[in-house]
Amino acid sequence: MLLHIGLDDTDSPEGGCTTYIVARLVEELEALGVMFADYPNLLRLNPNVPWKTRGNGAVCLRMEVEPAMEGVVRKMVVDAVEGQAEFQCENTNPGVVFHTGEIPDSLMDFSDRVVQGVVTLEEALRLINDAGGHAIGYKNMRGLIGALAAVGGLQRGDHTFEVLTYRSPENCGSPRMLDEGSVRAMDAALCDATFNNVDPESGRVLIAPHGPDPVLYGVRGETPEAVYRAYEMVKPLEPVERWAIFRSNQGTDAHLRYRSNVDEIEAYSPAIVSGEVTEAPRTIKGGHVIFGLSDETGRIDCAAYEPTGSFREVVRKLIPGDAVRAYGGVREEGSRRTLNLEKMEVLKLAEDVQLVNPACPECSGTMESMGRGKGYRCRRCGHRDSNLEKHPVVVDRGLEVGLYIPPAKAQRHLTKPLSRYGMEKEYMHGELFQPWHGA
Ligand code: ATP
């Protein structure tokens, strides 16, 4: 029988990681004789929900098991969660969902909604009941939302892969030790098949996180072969306790699917809004750049935050009258909503017409005003003329119509980088690449 096991919300800001629990389970389950039907799935959920610990990820294992083994497998999973989840953290509310057989459309649709919006626990519980699943929710049980979404996720559409490597427990919390030269060499060799290894602007290596979690590094790419090759090339300078390849919706823009009018966008949800720039960009304290965008239903602030680096330079070049499509997550403070920009498409550029001083009719030199209504004087030859006036000039915008995305270091897990445009693929079942995990 085909068994799907979704897990979520096991970690805390102090440590842990749901993917690590799963990577350990893979070894134990394989020793038990289960046949994996897919790589472990790492589903990134709506990045704007306020309850997330870090990257709002949930995980699903899919396997063929003998019906007689199901009970043993379930116990192994429950023991792993109960033994390793960070229960002491107030905000950790683990959830485990077991589902057998094919994945119904209702579960896939639910999963999409968890990636693209905000759902309630009641909805998840109802669906678990309807789909005949079996679930265990701990504490406030919120983790069931992500666990169920993971079960229903990655059954259709674009996907990517990530090889994740894990540290020995005794090293967790100390700085990660990696040979950065090997990461750059890997990036140069595999740049067509992997993405976001190194930030092109700052040169910073991006594959290693910075928190107390057990991940040493992760490389994202188009195929299991590519990320395995990356794993072979990157030289860790500390022991790798285990590693596994995950299939994921990272780098696919799975969260950015709905175009909305300004009056339809909801707090904590991703949105795509097209409109006209109605208030010129201004830079506020902290280096964040904000402009006003309006459509026929209302106006909203769009923000390019300081970490988006050079992307802010592009945003600063906008002027009222430009048509843009803004992609991002909606934040709400009081009654004010802000679209936190993840990408921006400039659809149409307004003409930037500026009034400039006339050129000198005698020598073509630059003229300066002699005071309001008093005409102009040439700086070069001294010619004076009281009949001349400023004249309109169309200024080069220094900006092109097109798609703009912040640099890799500022992208969210789900953001599709420019290098992936045109690489989208459909999910097809097939043999798993070997090896896809190890200890
Ligand atoms: P972890 O590695 O433990 O998964 P995380 O950063 O992914 O860490 P969680 O600790 O899982 O974050 O917290 C996210 C919580 O929010 C989970 O309980 C999850 O079920 C819930 N959640 C995620 N997405 C949504 C959503 N779209 N609507 C409602 N709840 C959500």
Side-chain angles (χ1 to χ4, degrees):
M1 62 190 264
L2 185 57
L3 176 64
H4 311 262
I5 307 171
L7 299 100
D8 193 22
D9 209 344
T10 65
D11 66 357
S12 75
E14 278 75 51
C17 178
T18 309
T19 69
Y20 180 63
I21 295 182
V22 162
R24 286 179 61 163
L25 267 172
V26 162
E27 306 289 331
E28 291 177 34
L29 289 166
E30 206 168 60
L32 207 64
V34 310
M35 293 279 291
F36 286 97
D38 196 353
Y39 306 90
N41 290 179
L42 167 55
L43 192 75
R44 295 290 180 179
L45 313 173
N46 175 359
N48 308 295
V49 298
W51 313 285
K52 65 176 185 172
T53 308
R54 274 181 296 268
N56 207 8
V59 187
C60 182
L61 287 169
R62 308 185 195 275
M63 65 202 79
E64 287 288 346
V65 291
E66 294 296 326
M69 293 291 290
E70 194 193 346
V72 184
V73 170
R74 281 194 196 185
K75 182 166 182 330
M76 197 175 256
V77 172
V78 170
D79 286 350
V81 170
E82 293 185 355
Q84 294 172 62
E86 304 267 307
F87 284 100
Q88 75 288 354
C89 172
E90 195 194 330
N91 204 19
T92 297
N93 302 286
V96 185
V97 171
F98 299 94
H99 176 85
T100 48
E102 295 304 311
I103 305 290
D105 285 350
S106 57
L107 268 192
M108 297 186 212
D109 295 344
F110 174 81
S111 181
D112 287 347
R113 277 186 288 121
V114 180
V115 174
Q116 293 157 3
V118 179
V119 303
T120 61
L121 178 59
E122 288 64 40
E123 221 177 313
L125 293 174
R126 209 176 319 123
L127 206 54
I128 290 166
N129 205 26
D130 292 352
H134 176 84
I136 307 172
Y138 298 86
K139 295 165 69 183
N140 78 10
M141 307 205 292
R142 191 186 287 132
L144 287 176
I145 296 173
L148 187 63
V151 170
L154 288 163
Q155 300 300 296
R156 50 195 179 195
D158 194 15
H159 61 274
T160 59
F161 294 85
E162 177 163 12
V163 63
L164 279 166
T165 63
Y166 299 96
R167 321 178 74 186
S168 296
E170 66 273 16
N171 288 326
C172 291
S174 59
R176 288 165 172 83
M177 307 296 280
L178 272 186
D179 175 348
E180 293 209 341
S182 74
V183 179
R184 291 179 211 287
M186 176 278 289
D187 184 55
L190 300 173
C191 58
D192 292 340
T194 61
F195 56 93
N196 288 8
N197 301 316
V198 178
D199 184 61
E201 257 176 39
S202 60
R204 215 172 81 194
V205 166
L206 300 175
I207 65 171
H210 297 282
D213 59 278
V215 173
L216 177 59
Y217 71 83
V219 177
R220 297 167 185 195
E222 298 304 321
T223 60
E225 290 85 344
V227 296
Y228 180 70
R229 182 91 187 88
Y231 164 72
E232 288 185 314
M233 291 187 75
V234 172
K235 296 207 172 9
L237 301 175
E238 64 172 73
V240 169
E241 189 206 63
R242 68 189 66 241
W243 63 275
I245 294 175
F246 288 74
R247 198 165 67 82
S248 179
N249 61 350
Q250 293 172 150
T252 66
D253 272 356
H255 60 320
L256 292 171
R257 289 296 144 92
Y258 288 111
R259 295 189 179 177
S260 330
N261 291 327
V262 168
D263 67 350
E264 290 164 339
I265 63 178
E266 288 170 18
Y268 309 125
S269 288
I272 306 175
V273 192
S274 300
E276 190 177 307
V277 176
T278 42
E279 285 136 67
R282 60 187 195 281
T283 303
I284 62 165
K285 204 168 148 226
H288 317 305
V289 180
I290 318 267
F291 68 90
L293 183 75
S294 302
D295 67 6
E296 56 285 359
T297 68
R299 77 163 290 288
I300 186 166
D301 278 333
C302 294
Y305 287 103
E306 193 276 335
T308 61
S310 59
F311 179 67
R312 292 171 310 160
E313 304 305 325
V314 176
V315 172
R316 277 195 195 103
K317 289 182 180 163
L318 294 172
I319 60 170
D322 285 343
V324 304
R325 183 171 293 135
Y327 301 73
V330 182
R331 288 215 185 157
E332 193 168 49
E333 271 168 51
S335 61
R336 205 171 174 88
R337 288 172 309 162
T338 305
L339 191 71
N340 180 358
L341 287 176
E342 282 177 52
K343 41 181 74 173
M344 180 179 78
E345 220 173 321
V346 177
L347 303 171
K348 206 166 129 255
L349 290 168
E351 265 196 351
D352 187 6
V353 181
Q354 293 192 4
L355 291 176
V356 298
N357 290 349
C360 174
E362 297 295 323
C363 75
S364 305
T366 318
M367 301 196 85
E368 62 189 3
S369 169
M370 292 189 293
R372 215 191 159 104
K374 292 186 180 144
Y376 289 86
R377 174 178 51 219
C378 179
R379 279 196 185 137
R380 195 194 291 166
C381 70
H383 173 75
R384 292 168 180 240
D385 198 323
S386 56
N387 293 322
L388 291 174
E389 287 181 350
K390 281 186 189 285
H391 64 106
V393 167
V394 177
V395 179
D396 178 19
R397 296 288 311 277
L399 181 65
E400 305 284 326
V401 163
L403 179 67
Y404 295 90
I405 305 182
K409 71 173 176 6
Q411 287 171 20
R412 304 200 115 149
H413 295 298
L414 277 163
T415 305
K416 179 157 68 176
L418 269 179
S419 64
R420 284 212 71 245
Y421 278 74
M423 304 260 239
E424 300 80 2
K425 48 193 173 298
E426 280 299 314
Y427 174 51
M428 289 197 299
H429 290 267
E431 295 268 303
L432 301 190
F433 167 83
Q434 297 295 342
W436 58 269
H437 64 95

